Amino acid sequence: MAAGRPLDCLYDPLYTLSSEKDHSKANIQLIGDKLVKVPIFTSMFSSLIHFPGYSLCLDSKDPVPPLIDRRWRGRAQQRLEALQQLALGQPSLQIPPIVYEDPEVSGRNRYKYFARPLIPSNMLLPPNVCYATEMIDPFILSATRDSKIFGPKLRTLGTQTDYRDGEAQTDPYSPEYVVPSGSVPELLTLATLTWGRGLPAGLAEVEMIERAREKRAWEATLPAMDNAAQIAKRRKMMDDMERKEWAFREQEIEKLQEIRLRVLKKLLLRQQEKQSELDAKRLDDHWQNHQKAKKEKMKKIQHDFVLMLRKLIAKRKNVMGKLERRDIIKEYTDFASQTYAPLSRIGYFPDNHSERFVVKNFYLNTFAGLCELEAALPHSVTQAKIKAPKPKHTTTKTGFVKRAARLEVQLALVHQALLEKKNKVEEPKKPLRFLKKIEKPVPRPPTPILEKPSVEEEEIELAVICLQKLLRGRAIQNLMFEEKEKRMELIQELRTTHALHEDGQLLLKAEEQTIRALQQQRDLQMHELSSVESRLAQEEGRALANMFDFLSKELLRLQEERRIHAFVMLAERQRRMREAEESGRRQVEERHRQEEDEIFRQVVKVQQSTIDSYLEDIILSTMENTAEEQAREEIQRMAVEINDIAYEMESCRTHLQSEEIVAELVYAFLIPEIEKTSIREKVRQSQRKHIYAAHQIIHRSTEELLADPALQQETSASRIEGDPPAGTGGGLSPSDGPDKDGTAS
């Protein structure tokens, strides 16, 4: 059963179920779809089991009307099959005949028995319809019989069904027919055409029918073979007709060849388009791969370029190669320094030691701490008391609420709602701030009034109806007369069978003898004609065989020629495609070569700049070393000269000159040292207040821990575990004190 068609088991007459069990399952499924959740007003938002928020009820709206029979339709068929089986064993048992339903060929089922051919609108052809003859009951009144014959006054030209076309009957129904003896209806010549194979008839089928009619008319005009002249005339007419048929056949073969050529061209074009799409896709993929490789190379070059720039910047910061001492205060005051945000490329990963920041609580991580925490909690926390809610209305001992109590509660709620609505004070209407457009309703159209026909029109209509009845009666009389003329031979045969007089019997015997003599004569003529026709057919067969052989060979030659031409075209196309691919490949290679040359040029440029910077560093360091050596040699030479001058002066100096030299040395060395010591003391005094503030900030948490005994116990436990106590890591290290010169670092 389809998901969107659950009522097929009741409506569709072609829907068949295997048993009554399946029919019951389908009905149960229909009932299950009608279950509706109905909320309960008093416990609408409840989630308790004994106070449900909704109840399941059957929907009163039934999509199936009551006039539809819900019983299984296969029981009558089973009963009929059982009766048929019993009738086989008991001949005395009579089974009533099966009366089938009227197919209504001329009524609502008319569309199933004909189809409109796909032909141009200017060719008006009668529809290919074969109606069944209706049986007219002679005991029906004339008016009813007339309405049955001529059809109702109102006729349904289009019908609409609840089922789609795929589930309805697609093959038109052809009723049974009886062919009178001696008549060959033209419609029976189209018995080979079936639905889907020639029907509905198209333009080709209509042309075939017209050719068949022309051939039958031509066969009727053929002369009889009584003498040699008639035979020669007949042979000439047959040769002309044969030439026409062969010409028509050649035209058909040419049409088929043109159709095949068009199909072959379409296939070749489609194959060429697919191949071009495939080539374009391959070129796109190749280009994408090259672009991806190019991006990766550019990314790597950019990364190396940034790395070299970073190295050069780091080198140029300290061109002279001086050693700088670590400034700890500057690092701790700058939040972008390595102390707060270390770089991963240096080798430090902040997430490696994340377990150091996990909070470790004695009361939560140890069993003794949990026991101590539970003992410290009050009794009301560990043992909660839950009081059952008191019912709002009286209940029985088993907890059941009586209907009267429920009604009282609902009435009280309704009374309360009515009182609130009654005592509700209406708020005054606020003045409108903006203009509001009031739309007028659309006026209703005037009611049409049917004019009463006049007496003269009624009399004219009655006269027309009477005239119609007379015409219909006359048409029935003409129809009966035509049917009588058609079946006159049967009437005469019935009369001959009931002839009782001897004269009539003698006449019948004489007629029988004459008929037999005529039959023998006709048989002899037919035998002679059959022998002549067999010889003619043999000659015709030989000529046709030779002609067919020649045509088949010509057809094979044409096919081979076309095939070779197609192969040549395919080879030419493939050559052009290969040339195009080669030119495209050459262009891609040239573009790739240009890209590689540009990349090589950029790499050489970067290397040249790197070599220039490296040589510049070497030249600068060489110049510094040379200058340092020259300065050292100059200082040594000047020291030797000064020593020589000092030795000469010392050898020839007096007591007063010695005292003067000592005084100059004391003034040049001792006094500046004393001034330097005093300046350092001033700097130390100015920095002491900052150091004191830092000590207060760092040791404040330690003093709080010492003041709180619980925190002191936690600190002692953490010391036992091996972690340093909180607050001790904030002090200064020995290296943070004053240096050898006495200045704070």
Side-chain angles (χ1 to χ4, degrees):
M1 182 184 295
R5 305 174 60 87
L7 303 176
D8 281 357
C9 59
L10 301 178
Y11 283 101
D12 193 356
L14 302 178
Y15 190 87
T16 306
L17 293 169
S18 60
S19 62
E20 190 174 3
K21 184 178 180 181
D22 296 339
H23 185 74
S24 301
K25 286 182 179 179
N27 284 334
I28 290 172
Q29 186 177 359
L30 292 177
I31 294 173
D33 294 339
K34 295 191 297 181
L35 291 175
V36 181
K37 291 182 179 180
V38 179
I40 300 174
F41 182 74
T42 56
S43 59
M44 185 183 297
F45 303 102
S46 175
S47 60
L48 301 176
I49 299 174
H50 54 284
F51 287 107
Y54 61 89
S55 62
L56 297 176
C57 299
L58 290 175
D59 191 4
S60 59
K61 296 180 180 179
D62 194 355
V64 182
L67 57 95
I68 300 299
D69 190 9
R70 292 177 176 266
R71 293 177 297 179
W72 183 43
R73 294 192 293 265
R75 192 174 298 281
Q77 186 68 22
Q78 288 183 353
R79 189 181 299 109
L80 183 60
E81 291 177 358
L83 288 174
Q84 289 177 356
Q85 291 179 0
L86 287 174
L88 294 176
Q90 298 179 4
S92 60
L93 185 61
Q94 295 181 358
I95 301 175
I98 301 173
V99 180
Y100 293 99
E101 187 181 357
D102 185 11
E104 298 186 17
V105 178
S106 60
R108 61 178 181 178
N109 295 332
R110 180 186 176 89
Y111 69 95
K112 296 182 180 180
Y113 298 95
F114 73 94
R116 183 172 295 172
L118 300 174
I119 57 176
S121 59
N122 55 0
M123 297 180 65
L124 300 176
L125 295 176
N128 185 11
V129 186
C130 181
Y131 296 108
T133 56
E134 295 185 359
M135 300 300 293
I136 302 172
D137 194 352
F139 298 103
I140 302 175
L141 297 175
S142 62
T144 310
R145 187 171 60 209
D146 293 345
S147 63
K148 276 195 172 184
I149 293 172
F150 292 95
K153 294 181 180 179
L154 299 176
R155 185 173 298 170
T156 303
L157 298 179
T159 59
Q160 185 176 3
T161 175
D162 295 335
Y163 307 100
R164 57 197 179 109
D165 296 340
E167 298 177 359
Q169 182 182 0
T170 55
D171 295 343
Y173 169 71
S174 299
E176 297 179 357
Y177 56 89
V178 177
V179 180
S181 61
S183 64
V184 181
E186 185 184 4
L187 193 61
L188 292 181
T189 58
L190 306 177
T192 56
L193 300 178
T194 58
W195 185 260
R197 295 182 180 179
L199 292 178
L203 186 59
E205 285 76 11
V206 172
E207 291 178 355
M208 183 189 70
I209 292 168
E210 292 296 330
R211 287 197 305 273
R213 286 178 177 175
E214 291 177 359
K215 191 171 183 181
R216 284 196 297 272
W218 173 78
E219 288 177 354
T221 59
L222 285 175
M225 293 188 295
D226 297 338
N227 50 20
Q230 295 292 337
I231 292 172
K233 186 178 179 182
R234 184 185 181 95
R235 184 178 298 148
K236 184 178 180 182
M237 292 176 66
M238 291 177 68
D239 292 340
D240 295 339
M241 180 56 69
E242 187 176 358
R243 280 194 294 272
K244 289 181 181 179
E245 288 181 355
W246 279 114
F248 176 74
R249 181 60 180 166
E250 287 177 358
Q251 291 178 1
E252 285 189 345
I253 291 172
E254 290 177 358
K255 289 181 181 178
L256 289 174
Q257 288 178 353
E258 290 177 358
I259 292 170
R260 288 179 181 176
L261 283 175
R262 286 198 294 271
V263 172
L264 182 60
K265 287 181 181 178
K266 288 182 181 178
L267 291 175
L268 289 175
L269 289 175
R270 192 178 302 168
Q271 186 179 3
Q272 186 177 1
E273 291 175 357
K274 288 184 179 178
Q275 189 65 31
S276 61
E277 290 177 0
L278 185 61
D279 295 340
K281 186 177 180 182
R282 287 177 180 173
L283 289 175
D284 291 340
D285 294 341
H286 198 58
W287 186 77
Q288 291 290 342
N289 294 332
H290 278 287
Q291 289 293 325
K292 190 175 180 181
K294 177 184 173 183
K295 288 181 181 178
E296 291 179 356
K297 287 184 180 179
M298 294 293 290
K299 188 177 180 181
K300 188 176 182 301
I301 292 170
Q302 190 72 17
H303 181 265
D304 296 340
F305 173 70
V306 172
L307 182 62
M308 296 304 295
L309 278 180
R310 194 185 297 118
K311 289 182 180 180
L312 291 175
I313 290 169
K315 284 184 179 180
R316 289 179 181 177
K317 283 183 180 178
N318 192 6
V319 178
M320 305 302 292
K322 295 181 180 180
L323 296 175
E324 294 182 358
R325 298 180 61 85
R326 180 186 177 191
D327 193 353
I328 298 177
I329 294 176
K330 183 179 179 181
E331 290 181 0
Y332 275 90
T333 53
D334 186 10
F335 291 101
S337 63
Q338 298 290 330
T339 305
Y340 294 100
L343 298 175
S344 300
R345 66 169 181 267
I346 299 175
Y348 183 80
F349 300 94
D351 295 336
N352 285 352
H353 305 287
S354 59
E355 66 274 2
R356 292 184 302 179
F357 305 102
V358 178
V359 179
K360 297 179 181 180
N361 196 344
F362 169 74
Y363 293 102
L364 299 178
N365 296 338
T366 59
F367 179 72
L370 287 173
C371 294
E372 187 176 352
L373 181 63
E374 187 178 358
L377 292 174
H379 186 69
S380 60
V381 176
T382 56
Q383 295 183 0
K385 293 182 180 179
I386 300 173
K387 295 182 179 180
K390 294 182 180 180
K392 297 180 181 179
H393 37 71
T394 57
T395 58
T396 59
K397 294 181 179 179
T398 58
F400 178 73
V401 182
K402 293 184 178 180
R403 184 182 298 175
R406 287 200 301 270
L407 290 176
E408 288 178 0
V409 173
Q410 291 179 1
L411 288 173
L413 292 173
V414 172
H415 180 66
Q416 185 68 23
L418 291 174
L419 288 177
E420 290 177 357
K421 188 175 181 180
K422 183 177 180 181
N423 299 328
K424 185 177 180 181
V425 179
E426 295 184 358
E427 296 180 358
K429 293 184 179 180
K430 295 181 180 180
L432 296 176
R433 293 179 62 189
F434 305 102
L435 294 177
K436 187 177 180 181
K437 183 180 179 181
I438 301 175
E439 297 182 357
K440 296 181 179 180
V442 180
R444 296 182 62 184
T447 305
I449 300 172
L450 183 62
E451 297 181 358
K452 187 177 180 181
S454 61
V455 180
E456 295 179 355
E457 291 180 356
E458 288 183 356
E459 291 178 354
I460 292 170
E461 186 177 358
L462 291 174
V464 170
I465 292 171
C466 182
L467 183 61
Q468 287 179 354
K469 288 182 179 180
L470 292 174
L471 291 174
R472 287 176 181 174
R474 189 61 182 171
I476 292 171
Q477 289 179 0
N478 293 334
L479 184 62
M480 291 175 65
F481 183 75
E482 289 177 1
E483 295 295 332
K484 177 186 174 184
E485 291 295 331
K486 287 181 180 180
R487 292 164 177 78
M488 185 59 70
E489 294 180 358
L490 295 175
I491 295 171
Q492 291 178 1
E493 185 179 356
L494 291 174
R495 287 177 178 176
T496 54
T497 54
H498 294 283
L500 301 176
H501 300 286
E502 293 181 358
D503 297 337
Q505 291 179 0
L506 293 173
L507 290 173
L508 288 174
K509 287 180 180 180
E511 289 179 1
E512 185 178 357
Q513 289 177 1
T514 54
I515 289 170
R516 284 181 180 178
L518 291 173
Q519 285 181 354
Q520 290 177 1
Q521 187 178 0
R522 184 174 174 277
D523 291 338
L524 290 173
Q525 291 178 358
M526 290 299 293
H527 180 67
E528 293 176 358
L529 288 173
S530 63
S531 61
V532 173
E533 287 180 356
S534 63
R535 295 191 186 93
L536 291 174
Q538 187 176 1
E539 295 298 329
E540 289 176 359
R542 187 180 297 108
L544 289 174
N546 295 330
M547 192 177 297
F548 283 143
D549 186 21
F550 173 74
L551 290 174
S552 63
K553 290 179 180 178
E554 285 294 320
L555 181 61
L556 290 174
R557 186 182 63 79
L558 288 174
Q559 289 177 355
E560 290 296 330
E561 185 179 354
R562 296 293 174 83
R563 189 180 293 109
I564 292 169
H565 181 64
F567 285 157
V568 170
M569 292 177 64
L570 287 173
E572 184 69 21
R573 176 176 166 275
Q574 192 172 6
R575 182 181 64 79
R576 292 177 182 173
M577 289 175 62
R578 287 181 179 176
E579 289 178 356
E581 289 177 358
E582 187 65 28
S583 62
R585 195 180 297 112
R586 192 179 301 109
Q587 292 176 2
V588 171
E589 289 178 357
E590 290 177 359
R591 195 186 302 114
H592 185 61
R593 191 180 299 110
Q594 292 176 1
E595 291 177 357
E596 289 183 350
D597 293 342
E598 184 65 26
I599 291 169
F600 178 74
R601 195 179 299 109
Q602 295 292 336
V603 170
V604 169
K605 186 177 179 181
V606 172
Q607 290 179 354
Q608 189 66 32
S609 62
T610 306
I611 291 168
D612 293 342
S613 62
Y614 178 68
L615 292 176
E616 185 179 356
D617 293 342
I618 291 173
I619 291 168
L620 289 174
S621 60
T622 306
M623 290 173 63
E624 289 176 357
N625 294 332
T626 306
E628 187 177 357
E629 290 177 359
Q630 290 179 359
R632 190 178 291 109
E633 291 177 357
E634 185 70 23
I635 290 168
Q636 289 178 0
R637 186 176 57 79
M638 290 177 65
V640 172
E641 291 178 357
I642 291 170
N643 285 335
D644 294 340
I645 295 169
Y647 289 151
E648 290 178 0
M649 290 176 64
E650 189 176 356
S651 60
C652 63
R653 72 182 173 183
T654 60
H655 182 70
L656 291 173
Q657 290 177 352
S658 299
E659 288 181 357
E660 185 179 356
I661 291 169
V662 170
E664 288 180 359
L665 290 173
V666 169
Y667 183 77
F669 289 100
L670 292 179
I671 292 175
E673 184 67 24
I674 292 169
E675 290 180 356
K676 185 178 180 181
T677 306
S678 64
I679 290 170
R680 287 178 180 174
E681 186 65 26
K682 289 180 182 179
V683 171
R684 189 183 298 108
Q685 291 295 334
S686 64
Q687 289 181 352
R688 185 171 295 170
K689 55 183 180 179
H690 298 291
I691 295 171
Y692 180 71
H695 275 265
Q696 283 184 348
I697 292 170
I698 293 170
H699 290 286
R700 187 179 300 163
S701 59
T702 307
E703 292 175 358
E704 292 177 358
L705 288 173
L706 293 174
D708 193 353
L711 295 175
Q712 188 176 2
Q713 186 177 0
E714 182 181 356
T715 306
S716 62
S718 63
R719 286 178 181 176
I720 292 171
E721 292 180 1
D723 292 342
T728 58
L732 293 172
S733 61
S735 62
D736 295 337
D739 56 0
K740 294 180 181 180
D741 297 335
T743 59
S745 57

